[in-house]
Amino acid sequence: MTDRRRVILSALLPGFPQLAAGRWGGGGLSLTVWLAFVGLLLTRWARFAAGWGGPLDHKIASLTVVAGLIGAWGWSLYDVSNPGGVKQSGVSQWSLAARAFRKNRIAVAGVLVVVWVYLIALVTPLIAPHDPAAQASLLTARMVGPGGEFVLGTDDLARDVLSRILYGARISLSIGFVAVGISVTIGTLVGAVSGYLGGWVDTVLMRFVDMVISFPRLVLLISLSALFDTNSILMITVVLGFTQWPGTARVVRGDVLSLREREFIEASRALGFSRRRIILRHVIPNVLSSVIVVATLAIGNVIVLEAGLSFLGLGLLPPTPSWGSMVAGGRDQLLGAWWMSTFPGLAIVLTVVAFNLAGEGLRDALDPRLRT
Amino acid sequence: MTTRPDLLVVTDLRTHFTTEVGVARAVDGVSFQVGMGETLGIVGESGCGKTVTALSILQLIPSPPGEILKGSSILFDGEELLKAAPARLREIRGNDISMIFQEPMTSLNPVLKVGHQIEEALRLHRGLSKSEARSAGVALLAEVGISDPEERYDCYPHHLSGGMLQRIMIAIALSCEPRVLIADEPTTALDVTVQAQILDLLAKLQDRHGMALLLITHDLGVIAEVCDRVVVMYGGQIVETGTTQDILTRPEHPYTQGLLASLPGSGDRDVRLNPIPGTVPSPVNWPAGCRFRDRCPVAEERCAESVPELLPLSEETTRLARCWRVGSIGGPVEGST
Amino acid sequence: MRTFIARRLLGAIPLVLGIATLIFFVVNLAPGDPTARFLNPNTSPEAQEQVRVNLGLDQPLPIRYVRWLGALAKGDLGDSFSHNRPVVDIIQELLPNTLLLSFSAIGLAFILGILLGILQAVRQYSLLDSIASMVGLFFYSMPSFWLALMMVLLFSYGANVWDWPIQFPASDVQDIEYAFFSPVEKVQDRLMHLTLPATSLALVLAAGIARFTRASMLDVIRQDFIRTARAKGLSEPVVIFRHALRNALIPVITLVGLYLPFLFSGTVFIETVFAWPGMGKLVVDSILERDYPVVMGGTLVFAVMVVVGNLVSDVLYAVVDPRIRHD
């Protein structure tokens, strides 16, 4: 009886039964996604419908809404109708970590915000009140304060700040994601090889890593960015990715060094597996948990660095709506239009805080030494 | 029995800890007295509440999560320590009552010279100048049997061995001539040969200074060597008390008997060592009734329902045990059925 | 101790050499002709070539590398392309400004961070602890250039608009009329100019230091020797500051070395926002002008400062932890 009521409730308000049961990670996510996307459909139906025939990002936005709704609804319903199905997770390393993570409410909140920032970035074409590049009347709508038609005001070229922040989110998040993807791949490989092989390979690689780490990262980035013309999204992503990896390499190497002495690695060595196979099949899967933590924290770091380079005029240039160049653009108007710098900066802080919370939560959950 | 005036009187001490899984009743109604110049041993397995009892006396329990419950009383020379102001308590600590701990290696501050750590109490409680404290400190090192005291005085703890460090801990504890010394497993972390030396030293110093010694240990052998009287603890409570002689030769409580039976070289020579089966239950949920019931070889039905208070075994009030079968088990006891 | 320092110094030489090499090749292998930036495109090709010869840019890369290293060994960093001055002179002029800013910032950051960390550890789980942790996380996640702008907005422009008693200058190291000030006014003026840049730089660092100190302190407070100290009857301030703090600081000191690259990255932004004539601004400006000798010299100075900073942190470590000295 109560089960049936819960099923009906979860069909109407996906996530609510889970939220009521105190599982506010999954529950909160599906409920907020459901409510927000239903609201989006009601208020922006025309844009949603037009999305299917529009440019790629518009298509993706409409697709995200549909996928989000189906996902939230389907997950909640499945979860409610299979009581215990999800709970049945054993005591593997990952399910222990998942349990530890769920207990850390602040970290769960961090992950929620991260997911939401990505979702917002995906559906931006549907929700942005204005075109980020469109200029309203320079006579009447230049540097209009927050409130009214332009929620967060307009900039010195009469463009809507909120829309530019929304579009900027897509750029910051993509750069963060791809650059960290590059750096994590390189860093994991270098760290695993260095730690597993040891000897002179290790010495040379780690000396290099020490050198790069002991060097002010920004100064290196500035040299690289100005010299390699990083004004395109692709170049700045590549440069950030290729300078971020030494930290990952160091962490992975440390893990591998302790792993190398473990029985199952020795066993595979005794079985005569090739080094390549041992590194790829046995070593790397076991350092994944550290890599996930490093990557999550690194995304926040990369977002700040990209904003910094753009702020200095060495990264993305106007009119691309990058958070960093928006802050820089507002610098000269600080006295007349404080909102121009303030809000894009707040967007950076909020996003990075969420990534840091999530990353630290993951670290606490995945590190068995901290688990009690 | 000698009748020495009671210096330290602990009455109905209850120290509880709030944990994630519930309230841990680590010490749950413990009462005992220590007379002037007397040596009282507290014995029991790990997890019985011995150390928490000792720490509670000087109120060194980390709080939160620990808490000494209202209704507990610790009288030192007639003064209620649990009602003492923090400043008064600090006057007593290290001066009237001092304490030495189980792990000499970690109980000394690694970044301060041992001399400095000896001086601290002297300068604080005795108001000695730096140079006076130094000569007093060096003399103390000599007294606790450290050779080259002048030289050792300026060492850092990591330069010294465990036995040496425990001597230094004793020197620190004795520096202000306390009236009570609480020694919490002072020999457990040390090599067997060093253990005997430290025990001899404690006994010798106690004689010389006439202080009361509260010795906490899990080792009945240690008890046999130095104690006048013994308190046996189990499950946060006292299960039996008596003179060392009585406890060792005529144990009444099944737990005490078990402890004795598990001692090498005790009991019948041809019988193997027989440890008490099982482990101490969690202080978060002690079993109802008798807390030793699950491990007790002679447990009865009534033991699951309730447990008696500490019952006097004879006219002497210092001989008590907490068991329904008191007098009917173990050796012959007069006045029992 | 002296051999310890000497050994570390010797060990740092290959590191500096490696960094110098890295800088040289990054800068010189980059595409783009450095002369294009400062030569009038209308100059004759012969004259352009002459400039290149004068600057030594016609030589093959390995020869230029060896020459540069040779000059470097003599303390010569070459001449700036765009300022027609020796790079060493420019650095000598600007380095003190950067050092003033960085030292004030790192000093302030460690004092603030350590004090807050201790307070949080001693009052663990209190309201103050939670609030400080959360606020700290925000500062920790904040881009320093944005924080700097917000400081200017509040304490310089805002203070002016709202008539606050103190209003800080928003740019430069000193007032235009500095030369005419009395000595007291001079000190006051420098301090006023230093406040906002140093604070913006320090707050981000302090947030990290506080988190680290808190964790380290909590670790130490649980140790047996703290219980021993309390059992002696020592008062709480003595227990915390004499017994716990010194142990808790041991890991914190490694942060000095770890945070230096971060600090110098920060000075680049802060100097840009506050128009502070220092090394960070110099490097950014000369990159945009393709002034290669200045770029190489400037980055090298940053690298050396990091290496020296790491050395200082190693020595401090040995001073605080007697167990290291023993080895």
Side-chain angles (χ1 to χ4, degrees), chain B residues 90 93-94 101 106-111 116-117 120 124-125 156 158-159, chain C residues 224-225 227-228 230-235 242-243 246-247 250 320 322-323 326:
Chain B
R90 285 200 300 272
R93 287 179 185 162
F101 301 98
T106 56
S107 294
L108 285 163
N109 194 329
V111 302
H116 177 91
Q117 302 187 51
E120 269 180 332
L124 177 74
H125 297 301
Y156 285 97
H158 66 275
H159 291 131
Chain C
D224 288 347
F225 60 82
R227 194 178 56 192
T228 309
R230 293 212 173 103
K232 276 185 213 169
L234 298 177
S235 68
R242 198 185 303 157
H243 282 265
R246 226 172 126 193
N247 283 281
I250 294 170
V320 176
R323 283 163 295 189
H326 185 54

mmCIF file of all heavy atoms in Angstrom, chain B residues 90 93-94 101 106-111 116-117 120 124-125 156 158-159, chain C residues 224-225 227-228 230-235 242-243 246-247 250 320 322-323 326:
data_model
loop_
_atom_site.group_PDB
_atom_site.id
_atom_site.type_symbol
_atom_site.label_atom_id
_atom_site.label_comp_id
_atom_site.label_asym_id
_atom_site.label_seq_id
_atom_site.Cartn_x
_atom_site.Cartn_y
_atom_site.Cartn_z
ATOM 1 N N ARG B 90 44.614 22.843 37.977
ATOM 2 C CA ARG B 90 45.964 22.893 37.404
ATOM 3 C C ARG B 90 47.018 22.943 38.497
ATOM 4 O O ARG B 90 48.124 22.445 38.335
ATOM 5 C CB ARG B 90 46.095 24.097 36.469
ATOM 6 C CG ARG B 90 45.391 23.887 35.135
ATOM 7 C CD ARG B 90 45.940 24.845 34.094
ATOM 8 N NE ARG B 90 45.757 26.236 34.459
ATOM 9 C CZ ARG B 90 44.665 26.928 34.152
ATOM 10 N NH1 ARG B 90 43.695 26.380 33.477
ATOM 11 N NH2 ARG B 90 44.571 28.192 34.514
ATOM 12 N N ARG B 93 47.318 19.231 39.543
ATOM 13 C CA ARG B 93 47.951 18.381 38.544
ATOM 14 C C ARG B 93 49.466 18.581 38.538
ATOM 15 O O ARG B 93 49.946 19.708 38.476
ATOM 16 C CB ARG B 93 47.462 18.756 37.147
ATOM 17 C CG ARG B 93 46.054 18.328 36.836
ATOM 18 C CD ARG B 93 45.734 18.796 35.439
ATOM 19 N NE ARG B 93 44.346 18.539 35.088
ATOM 20 C CZ ARG B 93 43.740 19.152 34.075
ATOM 21 N NH1 ARG B 93 44.397 20.042 33.362
ATOM 22 N NH2 ARG B 93 42.494 18.870 33.793
ATOM 23 N N GLY B 94 50.178 17.491 38.603
ATOM 24 C CA GLY B 94 51.629 17.559 38.513
ATOM 25 C C GLY B 94 52.276 17.988 39.812
ATOM 26 O O GLY B 94 53.486 17.917 39.951
ATOM 27 N N PHE B 101 52.452 7.575 31.977
ATOM 28 C CA PHE B 101 51.605 6.912 30.972
ATOM 29 C C PHE B 101 52.278 5.682 30.394
ATOM 30 O O PHE B 101 53.454 5.409 30.594
ATOM 31 C CB PHE B 101 51.258 7.893 29.855
ATOM 32 C CG PHE B 101 50.539 9.107 30.361
ATOM 33 C CD1 PHE B 101 51.231 10.290 30.605
ATOM 34 C CD2 PHE B 101 49.183 9.067 30.606
ATOM 35 C CE1 PHE B 101 50.576 11.407 31.082
ATOM 36 C CE2 PHE B 101 48.521 10.176 31.083
ATOM 37 C CZ PHE B 101 49.219 11.348 31.320
ATOM 38 N N THR B 106 55.769 8.226 23.056
ATOM 39 C CA THR B 106 54.904 9.262 22.518
ATOM 40 C C THR B 106 54.436 10.240 23.586
ATOM 41 O O THR B 106 53.779 11.212 23.289
ATOM 42 C CB THR B 106 53.650 8.648 21.859
ATOM 43 O OG1 THR B 106 52.999 7.827 22.819
ATOM 44 C CG2 THR B 106 54.019 7.815 20.659
ATOM 45 N N SER B 107 54.777 9.948 24.853
ATOM 46 C CA SER B 107 54.267 10.800 25.917
ATOM 47 C C SER B 107 55.157 12.004 26.198
ATOM 48 O O SER B 107 54.820 12.847 27.007
ATOM 49 C CB SER B 107 54.090 9.998 27.202
ATOM 50 O OG SER B 107 53.084 9.037 27.018
ATOM 51 N N LEU B 108 56.308 12.039 25.526
ATOM 52 C CA LEU B 108 57.169 13.216 25.679
ATOM 53 C C LEU B 108 57.148 14.003 24.383
ATOM 54 O O LEU B 108 57.073 13.434 23.289
ATOM 55 C CB LEU B 108 58.600 12.786 26.022
ATOM 56 C CG LEU B 108 58.767 12.308 27.466
ATOM 57 C CD1 LEU B 108 60.047 11.521 27.630
ATOM 58 C CD2 LEU B 108 58.751 13.490 28.418
ATOM 59 N N ASN B 109 57.205 15.311 24.518
ATOM 60 C CA ASN B 109 57.124 16.177 23.350
ATOM 61 C C ASN B 109 58.393 16.049 22.507
ATOM 62 O O ASN B 109 59.493 16.318 22.991
ATOM 63 C CB ASN B 109 56.937 17.621 23.811
ATOM 64 C CG ASN B 109 56.522 18.514 22.675
ATOM 65 O OD1 ASN B 109 56.890 18.281 21.532
ATOM 66 N ND2 ASN B 109 55.758 19.542 22.988
ATOM 67 N N PRO B 110 58.268 15.634 21.236
ATOM 68 C CA PRO B 110 59.457 15.358 20.429
ATOM 69 C C PRO B 110 60.291 16.592 20.084
ATOM 70 O O PRO B 110 61.461 16.450 19.749
ATOM 71 C CB PRO B 110 58.889 14.719 19.156
ATOM 72 C CG PRO B 110 57.480 15.159 19.092
ATOM 73 C CD PRO B 110 57.032 15.316 20.509
ATOM 74 N N VAL B 111 59.718 17.783 20.170
ATOM 75 C CA VAL B 111 60.499 18.947 19.740
ATOM 76 C C VAL B 111 61.087 19.730 20.917
ATOM 77 O O VAL B 111 61.733 20.747 20.713
ATOM 78 C CB VAL B 111 59.674 19.910 18.852
ATOM 79 C CG1 VAL B 111 59.161 19.189 17.635
ATOM 80 C CG2 VAL B 111 58.547 20.547 19.623
ATOM 81 N N HIS B 116 63.938 20.527 29.492
ATOM 82 C CA HIS B 116 62.904 21.555 29.511
ATOM 83 C C HIS B 116 61.591 20.974 30.025
ATOM 84 O O HIS B 116 60.875 21.617 30.801
ATOM 85 C CB HIS B 116 62.722 22.101 28.094
ATOM 86 C CG HIS B 116 61.637 23.113 27.985
ATOM 87 N ND1 HIS B 116 61.870 24.450 28.138
ATOM 88 C CD2 HIS B 116 60.306 22.983 27.765
ATOM 89 C CE1 HIS B 116 60.730 25.103 28.016
ATOM 90 N NE2 HIS B 116 59.767 24.238 27.775
ATOM 91 N N GLN B 117 61.309 19.746 29.616
ATOM 92 C CA GLN B 117 60.036 19.139 30.007
ATOM 93 C C GLN B 117 60.022 18.773 31.487
ATOM 94 O O GLN B 117 58.958 18.722 32.102
ATOM 95 C CB GLN B 117 59.748 17.909 29.126
ATOM 96 C CG GLN B 117 59.719 18.293 27.652
ATOM 97 C CD GLN B 117 59.267 17.158 26.749
ATOM 98 O OE1 GLN B 117 58.234 16.546 26.978
ATOM 99 N NE2 GLN B 117 60.028 16.888 25.702
ATOM 100 N N GLU B 120 59.545 22.294 33.485
ATOM 101 C CA GLU B 120 58.262 22.990 33.415
ATOM 102 C C GLU B 120 57.463 22.931 34.707
ATOM 103 O O GLU B 120 57.025 23.960 35.219
ATOM 104 C CB GLU B 120 57.420 22.404 32.269
ATOM 105 C CG GLU B 120 57.630 23.108 30.968
ATOM 106 C CD GLU B 120 56.792 22.487 29.883
ATOM 107 O OE1 GLU B 120 56.481 21.291 29.947
ATOM 108 O OE2 GLU B 120 56.430 23.217 28.956
ATOM 109 N N LEU B 124 56.706 25.899 37.347
ATOM 110 C CA LEU B 124 55.303 26.298 37.494
ATOM 111 C C LEU B 124 54.838 26.166 38.943
ATOM 112 O O LEU B 124 54.314 27.109 39.518
ATOM 113 C CB LEU B 124 54.436 25.420 36.580
ATOM 114 C CG LEU B 124 52.934 25.647 36.663
ATOM 115 C CD1 LEU B 124 52.572 26.956 35.978
ATOM 116 C CD2 LEU B 124 52.184 24.498 36.019
ATOM 117 N N HIS B 125 55.077 24.980 39.535
ATOM 118 C CA HIS B 125 54.497 24.720 40.851
ATOM 119 C C HIS B 125 55.401 25.179 41.986
ATOM 120 O O HIS B 125 54.939 25.528 43.054
ATOM 121 C CB HIS B 125 54.202 23.228 41.017
ATOM 122 C CG HIS B 125 53.185 22.709 40.049
ATOM 123 N ND1 HIS B 125 51.915 23.204 39.977
ATOM 124 C CD2 HIS B 125 53.261 21.753 39.098
ATOM 125 C CE1 HIS B 125 51.227 22.571 39.043
ATOM 126 N NE2 HIS B 125 52.034 21.686 38.483
ATOM 127 N N TYR B 156 67.135 15.375 23.128
ATOM 128 C CA TYR B 156 65.746 15.322 22.684
ATOM 129 C C TYR B 156 65.240 13.889 22.873
ATOM 130 O O TYR B 156 66.043 12.949 22.851
ATOM 131 C CB TYR B 156 65.645 15.713 21.213
ATOM 132 C CG TYR B 156 65.814 17.192 21.000
ATOM 133 C CD1 TYR B 156 67.047 17.727 20.643
ATOM 134 C CD2 TYR B 156 64.735 18.047 21.194
ATOM 135 C CE1 TYR B 156 67.201 19.087 20.471
ATOM 136 C CE2 TYR B 156 64.890 19.413 21.020
ATOM 137 C CZ TYR B 156 66.115 19.924 20.658
ATOM 138 O OH TYR B 156 66.259 21.265 20.495
ATOM 139 N N HIS B 158 64.014 11.692 21.008
ATOM 140 C CA HIS B 158 64.328 10.647 20.026
ATOM 141 C C HIS B 158 65.750 10.116 20.177
ATOM 142 O O HIS B 158 66.128 9.157 19.525
ATOM 143 C CB HIS B 158 64.106 11.162 18.605
ATOM 144 C CG HIS B 158 65.035 12.252 18.194
ATOM 145 N ND1 HIS B 158 64.794 13.569 18.472
ATOM 146 C CD2 HIS B 158 66.203 12.217 17.525
ATOM 147 C CE1 HIS B 158 65.776 14.306 17.992
ATOM 148 N NE2 HIS B 158 66.647 13.516 17.415
ATOM 149 N N HIS B 159 66.557 10.771 21.038
ATOM 150 C CA HIS B 159 67.899 10.261 21.280
ATOM 151 C C HIS B 159 67.918 9.126 22.297
ATOM 152 O O HIS B 159 68.929 8.466 22.471
ATOM 153 C CB HIS B 159 68.804 11.375 21.814
ATOM 154 C CG HIS B 159 69.100 12.425 20.791
ATOM 155 N ND1 HIS B 159 68.971 13.773 21.040
ATOM 156 C CD2 HIS B 159 69.494 12.317 19.511
ATOM 157 C CE1 HIS B 159 69.280 14.449 19.961
ATOM 158 N NE2 HIS B 159 69.601 13.595 19.010
ATOM 159 N N ASP C 224 49.742 11.876 22.683
ATOM 160 C CA ASP C 224 49.952 11.578 24.102
ATOM 161 C C ASP C 224 50.674 12.694 24.847
ATOM 162 O O ASP C 224 50.376 12.973 25.998
ATOM 163 C CB ASP C 224 50.781 10.288 24.254
ATOM 164 C CG ASP C 224 49.984 9.061 23.887
ATOM 165 O OD1 ASP C 224 48.754 9.187 23.756
ATOM 166 O OD2 ASP C 224 50.590 7.989 23.734
ATOM 167 N N PHE C 225 51.653 13.328 24.166
ATOM 168 C CA PHE C 225 52.467 14.290 24.925
ATOM 169 C C PHE C 225 51.689 15.537 25.311
ATOM 170 O O PHE C 225 52.071 16.250 26.226
ATOM 171 C CB PHE C 225 53.766 14.642 24.185
ATOM 172 C CG PHE C 225 53.574 15.266 22.832
ATOM 173 C CD1 PHE C 225 53.311 16.613 22.717
ATOM 174 C CD2 PHE C 225 53.693 14.499 21.691
ATOM 175 C CE1 PHE C 225 53.151 17.193 21.481
ATOM 176 C CE2 PHE C 225 53.534 15.071 20.447
ATOM 177 C CZ PHE C 225 53.264 16.423 20.334
ATOM 178 N N ARG C 227 48.620 15.306 26.456
ATOM 179 C CA ARG C 227 48.029 14.857 27.711
ATOM 180 C C ARG C 227 49.047 14.974 28.841
ATOM 181 O O ARG C 227 48.725 15.412 29.942
ATOM 182 C CB ARG C 227 47.577 13.399 27.536
ATOM 183 C CG ARG C 227 46.663 12.906 28.609
ATOM 184 C CD ARG C 227 46.243 11.487 28.323
ATOM 185 N NE ARG C 227 47.407 10.619 28.159
ATOM 186 C CZ ARG C 227 47.361 9.378 27.671
ATOM 187 N NH1 ARG C 227 46.203 8.866 27.307
ATOM 188 N NH2 ARG C 227 48.437 8.653 27.551
ATOM 189 N N THR C 228 50.298 14.594 28.545
ATOM 190 C CA THR C 228 51.350 14.729 29.555
ATOM 191 C C THR C 228 51.478 16.180 30.010
ATOM 192 O O THR C 228 51.577 16.470 31.200
ATOM 193 C CB THR C 228 52.701 14.263 28.981
ATOM 194 O OG1 THR C 228 52.543 12.984 28.418
ATOM 195 C CG2 THR C 228 53.765 14.238 30.052
ATOM 196 N N ARG C 230 49.256 18.509 29.929
ATOM 197 C CA ARG C 230 48.116 18.901 30.767
ATOM 198 C C ARG C 230 48.248 18.281 32.155
ATOM 199 O O ARG C 230 47.912 18.907 33.151
ATOM 200 C CB ARG C 230 46.806 18.438 30.120
ATOM 201 C CG ARG C 230 46.505 19.168 28.836
ATOM 202 C CD ARG C 230 44.994 19.315 28.617
ATOM 203 N NE ARG C 230 44.749 20.166 27.468
ATOM 204 C CZ ARG C 230 44.384 19.707 26.275
ATOM 205 N NH1 ARG C 230 44.201 18.421 26.080
ATOM 206 N NH2 ARG C 230 44.195 20.546 25.273
ATOM 207 N N ALA C 231 48.741 17.024 32.203
ATOM 208 C CA ALA C 231 48.871 16.340 33.491
ATOM 209 C C ALA C 231 49.867 17.044 34.400
ATOM 210 O O ALA C 231 49.839 16.877 35.602
ATOM 211 C CB ALA C 231 49.290 14.888 33.273
ATOM 212 N N LYS C 232 50.772 17.831 33.801
ATOM 213 C CA LYS C 232 51.735 18.581 34.615
ATOM 214 C C LYS C 232 51.097 19.791 35.262
ATOM 215 O O LYS C 232 51.708 20.435 36.101
ATOM 216 C CB LYS C 232 52.862 19.107 33.714
ATOM 217 C CG LYS C 232 53.959 18.137 33.433
ATOM 218 C CD LYS C 232 55.015 18.864 32.637
ATOM 219 C CE LYS C 232 55.682 17.919 31.681
ATOM 220 N NZ LYS C 232 56.524 18.638 30.728
ATOM 221 N N GLY C 233 49.897 20.142 34.789
ATOM 222 C CA GLY C 233 49.237 21.312 35.333
ATOM 223 C C GLY C 233 49.497 22.570 34.542
ATOM 224 O O GLY C 233 49.204 23.674 34.996
ATOM 225 N N LEU C 234 50.055 22.419 33.333
ATOM 226 C CA LEU C 234 50.307 23.610 32.516
ATOM 227 C C LEU C 234 48.983 24.221 32.082
ATOM 228 O O LEU C 234 47.994 23.522 31.875
ATOM 229 C CB LEU C 234 51.126 23.223 31.278
ATOM 230 C CG LEU C 234 52.507 22.635 31.560
ATOM 231 C CD1 LEU C 234 53.181 22.225 30.276
ATOM 232 C CD2 LEU C 234 53.361 23.653 32.307
ATOM 233 N N SER C 235 49.007 25.540 31.921
ATOM 234 C CA SER C 235 47.769 26.208 31.511
ATOM 235 C C SER C 235 47.543 25.984 30.020
ATOM 236 O O SER C 235 48.462 25.656 29.277
ATOM 237 C CB SER C 235 47.867 27.704 31.801
ATOM 238 O OG SER C 235 48.831 28.268 30.952
ATOM 239 N N ARG C 242 53.195 26.362 23.445
ATOM 240 C CA ARG C 242 54.548 25.827 23.577
ATOM 241 C C ARG C 242 54.616 24.353 23.165
ATOM 242 O O ARG C 242 55.567 23.937 22.524
ATOM 243 C CB ARG C 242 55.079 26.001 24.995
ATOM 244 C CG ARG C 242 56.601 25.865 25.006
ATOM 245 C CD ARG C 242 57.185 25.897 26.396
ATOM 246 N NE ARG C 242 56.821 27.116 27.102
ATOM 247 C CZ ARG C 242 56.817 27.189 28.441
ATOM 248 N NH1 ARG C 242 57.160 26.142 29.160
ATOM 249 N NH2 ARG C 242 56.475 28.307 29.051
ATOM 250 N N HIS C 243 53.610 23.576 23.521
ATOM 251 C CA HIS C 243 53.709 22.138 23.247
ATOM 252 C C HIS C 243 53.105 21.730 21.912
ATOM 253 O O HIS C 243 53.685 20.964 21.170
ATOM 254 C CB HIS C 243 53.072 21.337 24.386
ATOM 255 C CG HIS C 243 53.959 21.249 25.593
ATOM 256 N ND1 HIS C 243 54.789 20.188 25.803
ATOM 257 C CD2 HIS C 243 54.156 22.104 26.612
ATOM 258 C CE1 HIS C 243 55.462 20.386 26.925
ATOM 259 N NE2 HIS C 243 55.092 21.547 27.430
ATOM 260 N N ARG C 246 54.378 24.073 18.100
ATOM 261 C CA ARG C 246 55.647 23.817 17.434
ATOM 262 C C ARG C 246 55.600 22.515 16.631
ATOM 263 O O ARG C 246 56.147 22.428 15.537
ATOM 264 C CB ARG C 246 56.770 23.761 18.458
ATOM 265 C CG ARG C 246 57.924 24.575 17.941
ATOM 266 C CD ARG C 246 59.015 24.759 18.896
ATOM 267 N NE ARG C 246 60.244 24.318 18.266
ATOM 268 C CZ ARG C 246 61.347 24.120 18.933
ATOM 269 N NH1 ARG C 246 61.371 24.295 20.229
ATOM 270 N NH2 ARG C 246 62.424 23.733 18.312
ATOM 271 N N ASN C 247 54.922 21.529 17.184
ATOM 272 C CA ASN C 247 54.772 20.282 16.443
ATOM 273 C C ASN C 247 53.860 20.461 15.232
ATOM 274 O O ASN C 247 54.107 19.908 14.172
ATOM 275 C CB ASN C 247 54.199 19.200 17.353
ATOM 276 C CG ASN C 247 55.235 18.648 18.290
ATOM 277 O OD1 ASN C 247 56.046 17.828 17.913
ATOM 278 N ND2 ASN C 247 55.245 19.140 19.522
ATOM 279 N N ILE C 250 55.459 22.028 12.036
ATOM 280 C CA ILE C 250 56.437 21.313 11.212
ATOM 281 C C ILE C 250 55.895 21.071 9.798
ATOM 282 O O ILE C 250 56.524 21.461 8.822
ATOM 283 C CB ILE C 250 56.875 20.003 11.902
ATOM 284 C CG1 ILE C 250 57.646 20.347 13.170
ATOM 285 C CG2 ILE C 250 57.730 19.163 10.975
ATOM 286 C CD1 ILE C 250 57.924 19.164 14.069
ATOM 287 N N VAL C 320 62.948 23.718 13.254
ATOM 288 C CA VAL C 320 61.806 23.421 14.110
ATOM 289 C C VAL C 320 61.796 21.964 14.565
ATOM 290 O O VAL C 320 61.412 21.652 15.673
ATOM 291 C CB VAL C 320 60.492 23.771 13.381
ATOM 292 C CG1 VAL C 320 59.299 23.378 14.219
ATOM 293 C CG2 VAL C 320 60.443 25.252 13.101
ATOM 294 N N PRO C 322 63.791 18.861 15.651
ATOM 295 C CA PRO C 322 65.123 18.385 16.036
ATOM 296 C C PRO C 322 65.452 17.017 15.452
ATOM 297 O O PRO C 322 66.609 16.651 15.335
ATOM 298 C CB PRO C 322 65.049 18.322 17.566
ATOM 299 C CG PRO C 322 63.605 18.276 17.896
ATOM 300 C CD PRO C 322 62.902 19.003 16.799
ATOM 301 N N ARG C 323 64.424 16.256 15.079
ATOM 302 C CA ARG C 323 64.691 14.916 14.559
ATOM 303 C C ARG C 323 65.404 14.981 13.207
ATOM 304 O O ARG C 323 66.135 14.086 12.847
ATOM 305 C CB ARG C 323 63.375 14.142 14.416
ATOM 306 C CG ARG C 323 62.878 13.640 15.741
ATOM 307 C CD ARG C 323 61.431 13.247 15.676
ATOM 308 N NE ARG C 323 60.581 14.399 15.406
ATOM 309 C CZ ARG C 323 59.264 14.369 15.474
ATOM 310 N NH1 ARG C 323 58.661 13.266 15.788
ATOM 311 N NH2 ARG C 323 58.542 15.432 15.243
ATOM 312 N N HIS C 326 69.218 15.794 13.552
ATOM 313 C CA HIS C 326 70.010 14.665 13.996
ATOM 314 C C HIS C 326 70.651 13.942 12.815
ATOM 315 O O HIS C 326 71.776 13.462 12.900
ATOM 316 C CB HIS C 326 69.101 13.720 14.781
ATOM 317 C CG HIS C 326 69.826 12.574 15.403
ATOM 318 N ND1 HIS C 326 70.908 12.772 16.218
ATOM 319 C CD2 HIS C 326 69.628 11.245 15.330
ATOM 320 C CE1 HIS C 326 71.350 11.591 16.624
ATOM 321 N NE2 HIS C 326 70.595 10.657 16.096
#
